[in-house]
Amino acid sequence: MIKSEKTINGTKWIETIQINAEERATLEDQYGIDEDIIEYVTDNDESTNYVYDINEDDQLFIFLAPYALDKDALRYITQPFGMLLHKGVLFTFNQSHIPEVNTALYSALDNPEVKSVDAFILETLFTVVDSFIPISRAITKKRNYLDKMLNRKTKNSDLVSLSYLQQTLTFLYSAVQTNLSELDRLPKTHFGVGADQDKIDLFEGVQIEGEQVQRMFDIETQVVDRIDHTFNSLANNNLNDTMKFLTIWSLTMAVPTIITGFYGMNVKLPLAGMQYTWMLTLGISVALIVAMLIMLKVWRKM
């Protein structure tokens, strides 16, 4: 969808969302955007990047934003969105229709302090970076809940939730790192050349926010990994305790089986003719079981 034109302090802004083949052709024919650029900026597998075309004087920005697969289960991945300055016109590409990107764009548009297209771009990036924070807080809340579950019976549902949490952190932490790396590089590119003090302040603001988000996700990733290790240790300890109990129980049951097996044979055995032989075999079995348990205790196998 190609939305109607808007203006940012005299600069045209054309917003696109999930454009189809016909709309791609419109962008090529009506605005002269190269087909390769459109393919690049709408590719859902692209990573963060900034490209300056010295011949066309075009500037292309690609950044990653959080994309919810299941908010209730905290399942997130990241998807790219693009901004293209082409012949004095700003084009934005939100091919995955990411709500956080839409919010960031219109927040920047409504901000009275945004008085240039460069400020609009930086303010949009600031809000997108900021959109990672509520997800980090939700992860912290979920992580605290799972941490409490360590002192109780471990459920498969908790393990699945922990797995989702780790997957989400992997996607988001990687995106935060690549975004911050590109934000650190932007002031040194053509986009940052000749920046005035207001633009420098915007650069610093976006970078500081990016560093804060990176620290938050770095801490969460480490803590969740430790919880996962604790879960695994508890599961292994429980398994070891179960296997130890079953082993001792099987050894205990093997003793009377061996004794009664001998006296169940159709051959003449010592003491087989006594009146209370069955009590004798029972006594021998109990004595051997007690002796075996004492030896296991002495050898610290129990």
Side-chain angles (χ1 to χ4, degrees):
M1 174 173 58
I2 301 177
K3 292 194 172 184
S4 57
E5 293 183 2
K6 303 175 184 65
T7 58
I8 305 167
N9 196 28
T11 300
K12 287 183 180 181
W13 170 33
I14 298 174
E15 181 186 8
T16 74
I17 298 175
Q18 294 179 323
I19 57 175
N20 54 34
E22 182 179 346
E23 290 164 340
R24 290 169 187 251
T26 299
L27 292 174
E28 293 175 29
D29 299 336
Q30 186 173 342
Y31 298 100
I33 302 177
D34 190 78
E35 180 183 0
D36 292 338
I37 295 294
I38 296 176
E39 287 293 334
Y40 181 66
V41 80
T42 57
D43 186 355
N44 288 334
D45 295 323
E46 284 299 330
S47 185
T48 306
N49 199 7
Y50 167 81
V51 179
Y52 172 62
D53 187 340
I54 192 171
N55 296 319
E56 298 290 337
D57 196 29
D58 288 349
Q59 298 183 75
L60 175 62
F61 306 79
I62 296 180
F63 280 81
L64 295 173
Y67 182 79
L69 298 177
D70 185 348
K71 281 189 177 182
D72 293 334
L74 279 179
R75 297 191 66 188
Y76 282 85
I77 59 173
T78 56
Q79 291 289 298
F81 71 97
M83 293 180 284
L84 174 65
L85 279 171
H86 174 71
K87 296 181 179 179
V89 179
L90 175 66
F91 297 84
T92 60
F93 298 86
N94 187 5
Q95 195 64 11
S96 297
H97 201 352
I98 307 169
E100 287 79 4
V101 173
N102 295 330
T103 300
L105 290 170
Y106 283 93
S107 175
L109 182 66
D110 295 336
N111 190 337
E113 296 182 1
V114 174
K115 299 178 181 179
S116 68
V117 68
D118 288 356
F120 176 85
I121 292 171
L122 289 172
E123 191 65 35
T124 299
L125 295 180
F126 181 93
T127 307
V128 169
V129 169
D130 216 34
S131 68
F132 285 85
I133 294 178
I135 304 173
S136 176
R137 289 172 178 162
I139 290 174
T140 300
K141 185 177 180 180
K142 185 70 173 181
R143 181 252 298 167
N144 288 333
Y145 166 79
L146 292 174
D147 195 20
K148 292 178 182 179
M149 292 300 102
L150 289 174
N151 297 322
R152 305 177 186 176
K153 184 178 180 181
T154 305
K155 301 177 182 177
N156 288 338
S157 59
D158 293 333
L159 295 175
V160 172
S161 296
L162 183 62
S163 175
Y164 288 160
L165 218 57
Q166 288 179 308
Q167 292 174 29
T168 293
L169 282 170
T170 299
F171 282 113
L172 298 188
Y173 185 46
S174 175
V176 166
Q177 284 184 310
T178 55
N179 281 351
L180 180 59
S181 176
E182 196 61 33
L183 289 172
D184 290 339
R185 190 175 76 92
L186 270 183
K188 305 169 188 176
T189 64
H190 178 80
F191 184 68
V193 172
D196 57 18
Q197 189 59 47
D198 289 340
K199 192 172 180 180
I200 292 173
D201 291 341
L202 284 173
F203 274 128
E204 291 179 351
V206 177
Q207 289 169 334
I208 290 171
E209 193 72 6
E211 290 170 357
Q212 177 186 350
V213 173
Q214 184 189 36
R215 285 193 296 270
M216 293 174 68
F217 276 94
D218 187 21
I219 292 171
E220 284 304 317
T221 300
Q222 293 182 40
V223 174
V224 170
D225 284 343
R226 289 177 183 176
I227 292 176
D228 179 56
H229 293 156
T230 305
F231 263 123
N232 290 333
S233 296
L234 286 174
N236 289 334
N237 286 337
N238 291 337
L239 179 61
N240 289 338
D241 290 341
T242 301
M243 294 303 297
K244 181 187 291 185
F245 171 78
L246 292 175
T247 300
I248 294 172
W249 183 257
S250 62
L251 289 173
T252 303
M253 291 297 98
V255 173
T257 301
I258 294 172
I259 301 300
T260 56
F262 273 112
Y263 280 90
M265 294 188 296
N266 294 323
V267 296
K268 189 173 182 179
L269 293 172
L271 308 176
M274 293 177 60
Q275 182 178 0
Y276 298 104
T277 302
W278 68 274
M279 294 186 65
L280 179 63
T281 58
L282 181 62
I284 293 173
S285 298
V286 172
L288 289 176
I289 290 172
V290 172
M292 181 186 66
L293 293 177
I294 292 173
M295 285 189 294
L296 289 175
K297 189 71 174 179
V298 171
W299 294 340
R300 298 183 179 178
K301 299 298 183 181
M302 291 179 58

